[in-house]
Every structure is written in structure tokens, then in C-alpha cells.
């Protein structure tokens, strides 16, 4: 099976577009000596191999607008360029007379004097809005440097400072110099958020970039004085997810084999110090197939597009063609790396470029891992650069001060503009007509009377709303409102034959919108316990999150005291419906599941991914607070999604707990939460542990008609798990179908989730890893006797898993410290299967 996976993975990777490798970019390049500007000064300041010249007597720098110079005292050890600054009280600009067109590196240096901390301003450079509402924090102890790569197509590079109203702008120093030709490629391998890839036609040479991260992997800090283009490089250790998965390769002492003619990098692409150091796999046992990945975790903008440059130089191999490996972006895209197909020499630097779409998580994971056919099962990385493409749709003032839309890749002609104008005019007429029609037909007419045919009266609904008539959520118009008439049409006036469920909020109906989209319509009912607050919470939460493992909110309706939520329709219903049937009158339940163990694990993994996103993938964590088997829904392919966010709570990133009254479902409630009334993410973990037991045992969380020791599923299941006899209470439909090691891992996961105190429970990312591991064990051909649970090396280190984040508790030669709740752990791969 492993060989088959290797073959298909190799075939898939071989069909991917070739990566964008480095080109000869510096054959005729000499590092320029302009422009290095000491702002607000008439003095020259040496800095390494270059000199910053005062802007008050420069022939190639001119001003427009009003500004003044300022001088302050700085701490010892700081460069002299921070002793002075130029201050702008109105729109002002520098104009730099450039001899060449092309890509320029532009850096702005800020280190405010005590009276400059209140500055707030914009900066435009080469027509791009590079800084908006920028201010320097008052607690800075070192200079702030902002770096950009800008295309310059004219004979002048204009840099404009625009103070915000009642504020001012300042700058201590400016660097602007041309880069080598082809320093930024015209195109690169494009990685979408779904992991698809293609060589795009986007002309990167027209895009502006801002530097987010520049990392010297395996090395120390590199300062501008030691870099060929005055760059800062930071060490990578703080970005490693599992530090023990990698080790620094000792500094390479020989000369590097730069070969730009063969497609390699030059000393200007990165300095020697980057290519002479590297991180490689920390291989504990040379006799094992160490097929794990090293993963770095970088914070990025949630909605950006990023230019990523990865630097490589094989300083770890003893001979050519010894080490081939893969590089992965965000765990969803893999690219094979064969260094000697690029430059056929040892210790020859090269780099590979990607354009990567944000996946919405606010982080970017970059991994390297060995290939199965490689002679040496190892992988390495020397450097990482991550730059964000500056928004192409920003409004940029032109030379006359007028605002124009900066569309870098889209040129709208006069003909298209005329068509757009006509469409706008027609749209305006249609809208006015609709508004006039709406006035002529108030809500009190036929549509409302139809609703009452099968529903409750309007008077009865006011008991759960804060006002008797009209919308009670005027501040929640998020573009999701659906007219009541459309919902009536979709459900055939809430015909009972379309009712598919009933919960704490009310009845749920299957419906079909006029465009043919199937939806689930949840309509509030008086006296169901959940009302306006839950309705508003559901809308607020779901309007700001989108994830493939969360049920999507299509819209809502709050006309005429109705509270209606419209979701994507999940064809297979709730998870509980597929586990057991329940006769509540006599308190009996029986297994009815036809789900295989593989399907059940996949469902649990899907739900865990949804919860992990809620806990870590947003600006602040969201605690679901009502995780149970009826709130995990399945689509037509049995793909699981988490639903029902009416009880959810959210908080800031540093949230430790929320003090609140206890809400949730009996049998799933965290005992720690009940005791202290402090809600945490670990409360969701406990509830999810109960769901895992439901999946395994196919019985309800609470059944009061059973013997006393069996009433509570969590307590009963834990007692059997602690006796290592969990197999005795599993769903009879699964008897003999679960491999012992898969069941063992699943049981351990349950036990960890159901710890009495929240601090003893794992994070959802750890739970997700365990579940994927249990699935891999179900597929693994390794015999049970090959596992040694009491060994110093955890078996999960020896058994590589496809795309599974590593547990923080894995031992290599020493124990690995537990990581923070927001971390996403390193990924493993078996025979490159992703």
C-alpha cells in the first residue's frame, strides 16, 4: 500500500507545473550608492559600505511642500541617522532623480523623539499607498524599518508624506536603490488556498511588495552591514513548530558555488551567511525511514496574497544527487525539489518562488520533508522571504491630486467604461422601481397572511422578541437578509411535510430557494428557550467566519417578529441520526449505524477541524459551548460540519476564560465549567470527548433508564478505558473491524478530552492530530507487537503520517514541551502521500 501511495504521489507531483527557479540577475550589477538619505540633516553619516547623505544639500533629491528638520538625542549604540528627522505638517514629497527604471528597494527608518509619537500619516511611493494611518508605537525601544519593493517606470521616484487631519508625518532616513534585473520574476507558481497550483500570467514586475518576514534558517541574525543589499535577516528558531524536528547544520566553511548561468542564485539574492547555514531533519535513528516534515509557522495577513522566496543550498550532502525532498505550502501543496536538476554542483545556491493566497487563518506554514526515492531521507532549508502584494485596488492620488483606482493588471478602456455606465444607469432605474413597488405593497399584505397559515400568530411571537413589530436587529444588516416571502416560497409556507427536525431554537425545514439552492430553514418557536440573544449571536458569529468544516449561514429574516435562520442544506442530517435510534418514552436506544470505522474517524476529524478553526483561526477565539452529536451535520458525502452557534462566546486573543452562566446540553457539559462557571476552549474539548464516545459506542450521552453506573456515557466509557477494555462497550456493528492500535489511540484521545480539569485536557489541534493518527493506524500494516508504548521514542515519530500535525508531547531523545493553544503543529508525511 505504501509503495502504491508513493507511486501516485510521485505521479501527481510530476504533473505539477515546474517551480519558478532563480534566473541570472546580477551579472552586470553593482550595488548602487544612491539614494541613502539622512533626513532632516545637512550631514553625511557612514553606514557600513555606504553613506547616508543629508537631504538638505543633495543635488538629486528635491522637496515639494513644507517641512522642517528636527534633532533629538538617541540612546548610545543606535546609528547616527536616528539623531535627526524631517517633519511634515502638510502633504509633502521627495522626488528622487533615477537613472534607471526597474524594481527598487525602498526602506523607511523611524525612531521618534519624545514629541513625535503622536504622528499619524500615509506614505505613497511610486504611485502605491505603502503605509496607511501609520503611527509608531510609543513603547518602541529600537528603530522601526519598513521595507518595500516597488516598480519604478519613470525617471523620478516620488515619495509623498500625507499627515492625517490634525497630525503630522516624519521620517529619519530613506533608502532607495535599484535591484538586479529579474530580481522579482514576471510570474511564479501560484498556490491557492485550496492547494491548487498553476503558473499564473500575473506580471509581478508591475506589483508592489512589502516585506513581512526575512529568515536566516539555521543561522543567526544578519545585520545590514553583513548583507549584500543591506537587509535584516532573523533566526528561524521561534518560527519552528516542533523545535526537536530539526537541527542546525554546522556553518559551511568552503566557498559556495554560485552559478547564475545554470539558473542558480547570486550573492545579491541572499548573502553567504544565508546559504552557508541551514536547518536539516533531526534524524534520531539512521536505521529508520524518517519520513517526517520540518514545519515553520509564520504570521501573515488573513486576506493577503504573498510572494514567497525559499532559499536552498545543499551544504549537507557528501555527494551529488544524494538528497531530494519536497516543500509544502500550508500543508496542501507539495513541490518536489531536486537540487541537481537546477544547478549540477554541490553547495550551489538557488531559490524557488511562489505566489501564495492566504488561507484565512492568519498564518502560513512552510514545510520540507524527504522523498521516498531519495538516497538520503533528509530535507533542508536555508532561507525564507515572505512579502505581501500591496492591494492592487487601492485609491492612489495622481500627479494632480485627483484620486484614481490603481488596477495593476486590469486596464479598463473607454468602451468598457461606457458599458459600465449604462449598466449602472439601468440598475438605478430597476432599484427605484423596486423601491416604489415596495412602498405600494406593505408587509401586512398577502405574504404575511400566508405565513400564518401554518405558523403561530404575530402576537404570540412577540414573547421572544424585544419589540412587537418590525426588525429587532437593525445593527445586523450584514448583507445577509432574506425577504420573508422568499422563505415562505422555499418552504411552501412552512409545510409540515418539509420539517426535518426540531431543536432548542425551533423547527427546522428543508427548503428550495428560487434559484434552486437547497437550504435548511430554522424558524424560532415561542417557549423553546432560545430566543433573540441566540438569534443575534448565531448571525454575528457565522457572518464573520467561513470554513469548509462549519455549516454556512446563507441568510436570516427578522420581519414581523419572525426569527429565521437559513443555512446550507446538509443532506445526511445529524451525526446522531447515523449512530443510534432512540425511543425516549421507554429510555431505550439501539445502534442503527451503517458507518464504517473509517467513516466515523473521518467525521470526527472533520468536526475537530471545524472546532480548531473556531479556537485558533480568528482574531479572537470562539467557544462553541454546545458541541454534541446533533450539532455535527453531514453532507451527501458524509463530510462533517459543525453547526448551531447560538450559544457561542468569543473573546480577545489572550482569552483565558469567560465568566458566564452555565449553558449547554446535559451529558456534554464540562464539569470544570459547571463548578466554576468559567467557560474556556477546553470546555468544547470535553464536549467533543463525549461525542467521540457516542461515535464509538453508538448510544446517547445520558440514558436515565440504564443501570446507575451506565447512565452517564462519559463516566461509563472512562471507567472501561482506564481498565484498557474499551473494546467491550463499542458499537456491535464495529466488532472485529477496528484495529487494536487504532482503538487504543482513539481511547487515549477520549481519555485526554474527558479529564476532570480543563488544564489537563489537550487543545483541539492535539485532538485533531490524535484522530488523524488513529485513522492512519487503522490503515497501517505495522503489527501491534511492533509498538512499544514505554519506549523513550514515541512510535508516532517512527510512523510517518500524511499531512498530520505533530503532537507537542512526542519524545525524540528528550521530551518536547507543550506548545501554546494557538499553534498549529508540524506535519508528517508517509511516502509523500498528501
Amino acid at each position: 500500500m505504501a509503495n502504491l501511495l508513493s507511486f501516485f504521489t510521485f505521479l501527481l507531483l510530476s504533473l505539477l507545473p515546474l517551480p519558478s527557479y532563480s534566473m541570472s540577475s546580477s551579472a552586470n550589477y553593482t550595488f548602487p550608492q544612491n539614494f541613502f538619505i539622512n533626513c532632516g540633516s545637512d550631514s553625511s553619516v557612514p553606514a557600513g559600505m555606504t553613506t547616508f547623505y543629508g537631504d538638505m544639500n543633495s543635488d538629486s533629491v528635491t522637496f515639494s511642500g513644507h517641512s522642517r528638520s528636527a534633532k533629538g538625542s538617541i540612546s548610545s549604540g543606535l546609528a547616527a541617522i536616528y539623531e535627526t528627522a524631517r517633519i511634515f505638517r502638510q502633504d509633502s514629497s521627495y522626488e528622487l532623480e533615477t537613472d534607471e527604471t526597474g524594481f527598487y528597494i525602498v526602506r523607511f527608518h523611524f525612531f521618534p523623539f519624545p514629541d513625535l509619537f503622536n504622528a499619524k500619516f500615509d506614505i505613497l511611493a511610486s504611485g502605491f499607498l505603502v503605509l496607511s494611518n501609520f503611527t509608531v508605537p510609543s513603547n518602541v525601544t529600537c528603530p522601526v524599518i519598513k521595507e518595500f519593493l516597488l516598480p519604478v517606470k519613470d525617471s523620478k521616484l516620488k515619495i509623498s508624506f500625507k499627515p492625517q487631519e490634525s497630525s503630522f508625518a516624519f521620517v529619519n532616513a530613506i533608502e532607495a536603490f535599484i535591484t538586479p534585473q529579474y530580481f522579482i520574476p514576471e510570474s511564479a507558481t501560484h498556490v491557492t488556498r485550496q492547494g491548487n497550483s498553476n503558473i499564473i500570467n500575473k506580471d509581478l514586475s508591475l506589483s508592489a511588495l512589502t516585506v513581512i518576514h526575512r529568515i536566516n534558517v539555521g543561522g543567526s541574525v544578519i545585520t545590514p552591514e553583513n548583507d549584500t543589499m543591506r537587509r535584516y535577516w532573523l533566526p528561524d528558531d521561534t518560527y519552528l513548530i516542533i523545535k526537536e524536528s530539526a537541527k542546525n547544520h554546522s556553518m559551511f566553511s568552503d566557498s559556495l558555488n554560485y552559478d547564475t548561468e545554470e539558473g542558480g542564485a547570486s550573492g545579491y539574492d541572499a548573502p553567504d551567511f544565508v546559504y552557508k547555514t541551514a536547518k536539516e531533519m533531526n534524524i534520531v535513528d539512521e536505521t529508520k525511514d524518517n519520513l517526517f516534515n520540518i514545519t515553520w509557522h509564520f504570521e501573515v495577513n488573513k486576506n493577503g496574497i504573498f510572494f514567497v522566496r525559499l532559499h536552498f543550498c545543499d551544504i549537507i550532502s557528501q555527494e551529488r544527487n544524494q538528497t531530494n525532498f519536497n516543500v509544502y505550502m500550508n500543508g496542501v501543496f507539495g513541490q518536489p525539489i531536486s537540487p541537481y536538476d537546477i544547478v549540477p554542483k554541490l553547495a550551489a545556491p538557488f531559490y524557488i518562488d511562489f505566489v501564495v493566497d492566504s488561507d484565512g487563518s492568519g498564518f502560513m506554514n512552510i514545510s520540507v520533508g524527504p522523498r521516498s526515492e531519495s538516497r538520503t531521507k533528509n530535507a533542508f532549508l536555508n532561507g525564507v522571504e515572505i512579502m505581501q502584494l500591496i492591494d492592487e485596488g487601492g485609491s492612489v492620488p495622481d500627479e494632480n491630486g485627483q484620486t484614481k483606482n490603481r488596477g495593476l493588471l486590469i486596464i479598463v478602456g473607454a468602451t468598457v467604461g461606457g458599458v459600465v455606465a449604462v449598466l449602472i444607469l439601468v440598475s438605478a432605474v430597476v432599484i427605484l422601481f423596486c423601491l416604489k413597488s415596495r412602498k405600494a405593497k406593505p408587509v401586512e399584505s398577502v405574504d404575511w397572511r400566508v405565513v400564518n397559515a401554518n405558523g403561530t400568530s404575530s402576537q404570540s411571537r412577540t414573547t421572544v422578541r424585544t419589540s412587537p413589530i418590525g426588525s429587532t436587529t437593525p445593527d445586523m444588516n450584514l448583507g445577509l437578509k432574506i425577504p420573508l416571502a422568499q422563505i415562505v416560497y422555499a418552504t411552501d409556507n412552512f409545510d409540515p411535510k418539509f420539517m426535518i427536525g426540531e431543536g432548542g431554537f425551533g423547527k427546522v425545514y428543508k427548503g428550495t430557494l428560487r434559484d434552486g439552492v437547497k437550504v435548511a430553514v430554522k424558524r424560532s418557536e415561542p417557549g423553546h428557550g432560545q430566543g433573540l440573544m441566540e438569534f443575534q449571536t448565531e448571525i454575528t458569529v457565522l457572518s464573520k467566519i467561513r470554513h469548509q468544516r462549519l455549516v454556512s449561514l446563507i441568510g436570516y429574516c427578522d420581519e414581523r417578529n419572525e426569527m429565521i435562520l437559513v443555512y446550507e442544506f446538509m443532506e445526511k442530517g445529524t451525526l446522531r441520526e447515523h449512530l443510534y435510534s432512540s425511543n425516549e418514552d421507554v429510555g431505550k436506544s439501539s445502534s442503527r449505524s451503517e458507518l464504517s470505522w473509517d467513516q466515523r474517524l473521518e467525521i470526527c476529524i472533520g468536526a475537530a477541524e471545524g472546532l480548531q478553526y473556531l479556537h485558533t483561526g480568528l482574531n479572537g477565539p470562539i467557544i462553541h459551548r454546545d458541541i454534541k452529536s446533533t450539532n455535527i451535520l453531514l453532507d451527501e458525502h458524509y463530510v462533517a460540519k459543525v453547526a448551531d452557534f447560538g450559544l457561542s462566546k468569543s473573546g480577545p486573543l489572550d482569552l483565558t476564560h469567560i465568566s458566564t452562566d452555565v449553558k449547554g446540553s446535559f451529558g456534554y457539559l464540562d464539569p470544570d465549567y459547571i463548578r466554576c462557571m468559567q467557560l474556556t476552549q477546553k470546555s468544547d474539548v470535553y464536549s467533543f470527548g463525549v461525542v467521540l464516545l457516542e461515535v464509538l459506542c453508538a448510544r446517547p450521552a445520558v440514558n436515565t433508564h440504564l443501570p446507575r453506573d451506565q447512565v452517564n456515557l462519559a463516566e461509563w466509557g472512562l471507567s472501561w478505558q482506564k481498565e484498557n477494555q474499551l473494546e467491550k462497550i463499542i458499537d456491535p456493528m464495529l466488532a472485529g473491524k477496528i484495529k487494536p492500535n487504532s482503538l487504543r489511540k482513539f481511547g487515549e484521545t477520549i481519555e485526554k478530552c474527558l479529564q476532570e480539569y480543563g488544564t489537563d485536557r489537550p487543545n483541539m489541534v492535539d485532538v485533531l492530530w490524535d484522530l488523524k493518527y488513529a485513522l492512519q493506524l487503522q490503515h497501517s500494516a505495522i503489527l501491534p507487537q511492533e509498538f512499544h508504548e514505554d519506549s523513550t521514542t514515541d512510535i508516532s515519530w517512527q510512523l510517518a503520517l500524511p499531512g498530520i500535525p505533530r503532537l507537542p508531547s512526542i519524545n525524540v531523545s528528550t521530551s518536547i514541551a507543550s506548545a501554546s493553544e494557538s499553534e498549529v503543529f508540524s506535519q508528517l508525511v508517509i511516502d509523500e502521500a498528501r
Side-chain angles (χ1 to χ4, degrees), residues 16 45 78 146 293 325 471-472 520-521 594 694 787 793 810:
L16 291 173
V45 176
L78 282 179
K146 296 293 184 179
N293 291 347
F325 55 96
S471 171
T472 61
V521 177
E594 295 181 359
E694 276 188 274
F787 291 113
T793 301
I810 292 172

Side-chain angles (χ1 to χ4, degrees), residues 603-826:
I603 289 168
C604 293
I605 288 167
E609 288 174 343
L611 276 176
Q612 180 198 349
Y613 173 77
L614 289 176
H615 289 181
T616 64
L618 301 158
N619 288 330
I622 293 178
I623 304 171
H624 188 281
R625 202 161 54 147
D626 198 19
I627 291 297
K628 54 185 178 181
S629 56
T630 53
N631 285 339
I632 297 173
L633 306 183
L634 309 176
D635 70 8
E636 66 271 26
H637 303 296
Y638 292 94
V639 173
K641 300 189 181 187
V642 178
D644 201 338
F645 297 83
L647 299 181
S648 297
K649 289 285 187 179
S650 60
L653 283 172
D654 59 352
L655 172 78
T656 58
H657 71 271
I658 299 172
S659 296
T660 180
D661 55 329
V662 176
K663 288 188 178 181
S665 299
F666 187 59
Y668 298 86
L669 284 170
D670 170 13
D672 220 3
Y673 175 31
I674 296 173
R675 273 193 306 268
C676 307
M677 290 196 297
Q678 292 187 346
L679 182 69
T680 71
Q681 297 173 31
K682 300 298 183 68
S683 301
D684 280 350
V685 174
Y686 183 92
S687 302
F688 190 69
V690 179
V691 172
L692 295 181
L693 268 177
E694 276 188 274
V695 168
L696 182 66
C697 302
R699 58 146 285 188
V702 175
N703 190 337
T704 56
H705 292 265
L706 291 173
R708 185 173 180 177
D709 63 338
Q710 299 181 30
V711 170
N712 186 290
L713 176 60
E715 294 176 1
W716 184 58
L718 267 182
S719 66
W720 286 98
Q721 166 62 20
K722 290 176 181 178
E723 295 295 328
N724 293 318
Q725 295 182 342
L726 199 58
E727 69 276 7
K728 293 186 177 181
I729 63 169
I730 67 173
D731 181 359
M733 306 285 285
L734 297 175
K737 298 177 183 177
I738 307 178
K739 289 190 176 181
N741 284 301
S742 180
L743 180 59
R744 171 190 55 79
K745 194 64 183 176
F746 194 82
E748 290 174 357
T749 307
I750 292 171
E751 185 174 4
K752 286 190 251 181
C753 291
L754 297 180
Q755 291 298 302
E756 183 175 3
Y757 297 101
T759 54
D760 296 329
R761 298 175 204 141
N763 304 315
M764 278 310 304
V765 68
D766 306 333
V767 176
L768 177 58
W769 191 97
D770 277 338
L771 292 173
K772 289 185 175 181
Y773 187 24
L775 180 61
Q776 183 60 34
L777 288 171
Q778 181 68 12
H779 294 167
S780 173
I782 294 179
L783 297 176
Q785 58 266 29
E786 292 183 64
F787 291 113
H788 303 287
E789 289 297 307
D790 57 349
S791 65
T792 57
T793 301
D794 191 291
I795 187 63
S796 56
W797 184 261
Q798 301 171 32
L799 177 64
L801 311 179
I804 303 177
R806 285 287 309 278
L807 265 178
S809 57
I810 292 172
N811 294 319
V812 183
S813 57
T814 59
S815 61
I816 296 177
S818 176
S820 67
E821 290 187 10
S822 63
E823 287 184 36
V824 180
F825 295 91
S826 182

Side-chain angles (χ1 to χ4, degrees), residues 504-524:
F505 186 82
K507 296 178 179 178
V508 184
Y509 299 82
K510 179 180 178 179
T512 305
L513 299 177
R514 294 182 188 274
D515 59 2
V517 174
K518 292 181 180 180
V519 293
V521 177
K522 185 162 38 171
R523 185 190 192 196
S524 72

